[in-house]
Amino acid sequence: MVSSLDDLHSWAPAPAPADGRLLTEKTQAERLRTLPTGVPGISYGLGIPNTNGRLGHNGKIPG
């Protein structure tokens, strides 16, 4: 599947959970808290990976 930035804006219009405006500060902090995975540079939280300081999915699906 290929999508454009316009497609993504249609799919996830602001305010979205990703920007934190719909959540309390406490909930947003918990959402962004990640734990080590055992792989150097990668930690994972509530559905959000942190890869060397970059939060979010890159679109890759292994396998």
Side-chain angles (χ1 to χ4, degrees):
M1 175 174 36
V2 176
S3 60
S4 68
L5 188 55
D6 287 334
D7 294 336
L8 294 174
H9 281 130
S10 296
W11 180 77
D19 68 16
R21 289 186 281 165
L22 296 178
L23 307 174
T24 66
E25 281 187 41
K26 183 178 177 182
T27 301
Q28 179 70 344
E30 180 64 23
R31 182 179 161 270
L32 298 178
R33 186 174 70 92
T34 59
L35 301 171
T37 62
V39 177
I42 299 176
S43 58
Y44 201 81
L46 296 173
I48 300 174
N50 181 335
T51 307
N52 297 313
R54 293 184 180 170
L55 289 170
H57 290 277
N58 61 10
K60 290 183 179 180
I61 300 174

